[in-house]
Amino acid sequence: MRKLIFAVLLLLSVNTQALTGNQFVAFCEEGARDFLNTYCSGYITGLIDSHWAITQLQGKLYCAPEGVTHEQLKKVGLKHFDNHPETLHLPAAEALYFLAWKEAFPCE
């Protein structure tokens, strides 16, 4: 029962704002706590799934070759934010889809 109450309280306290580049870096950088890296992996999985859905409606935003891993996508994102700190305030999904991954894996 305690776990259920905790889970409900946790869900009610979730912030509905988009994850920013600053938060993505904090969750995904090397040395982050295990639970943050788990969140990072889940976030990237969500973006990949969302990209598939968007692709069905309007075409691909980026064209990663087959076999690209979550770890590679994470590193491309971290590299982007490191090289372009002016984008850290943007929603992470926007910066990853339209800047980092699109630049790293352009569609021909």
Side-chain angles (χ1 to χ4, degrees), residues 70-105:
H70 282 70
E71 186 66 20
Q72 286 173 284
L73 292 172
K74 177 176 87 171
K75 286 180 178 182
V76 168
L78 290 171
K79 181 180 177 186
H80 167 80
F81 288 121
D82 190 45
N83 291 338
H84 300 282
E86 71 276 9
T87 65
L88 285 167
H89 69 285
L90 295 174
E94 177 183 342
L96 293 171
Y97 279 149
F98 299 111
L99 301 173
W101 295 345
K102 188 173 183 176
E103 182 181 316
F105 308 111

Side-chain angles (χ1 to χ4, degrees), residues 45-63:
T45 298
L47 290 179
I48 292 167
D49 288 347
S50 297
H51 183 256
W52 179 87
I54 291 167
T55 298
Q56 304 307 305
L57 298 173
Q58 64 185 25
K60 292 185 176 190
L61 302 174
Y62 65 94
C63 294

Side-chain angles (χ1 to χ4, degrees), residues 1-51:
M1 183 66 169
R2 285 180 138 177
K3 288 182 182 179
L4 177 62
I5 292 171
F6 177 76
V8 169
L9 290 175
L10 184 64
L11 288 173
L12 292 175
S13 69
V14 170
N15 188 344
T16 58
Q17 292 181 327
L19 189 72
T20 67
N22 282 311
Q23 292 165 318
F24 177 83
V25 170
F27 294 159
C28 299
E29 68 187 349
E30 203 168 310
R33 294 186 172 187
D34 286 342
F35 70 91
L36 292 178
N37 273 315
T38 300
Y39 182 89
C40 176
S41 180
Y43 184 78
I44 291 171
T45 298
L47 290 179
I48 292 167
D49 288 347
S50 297
H51 183 256

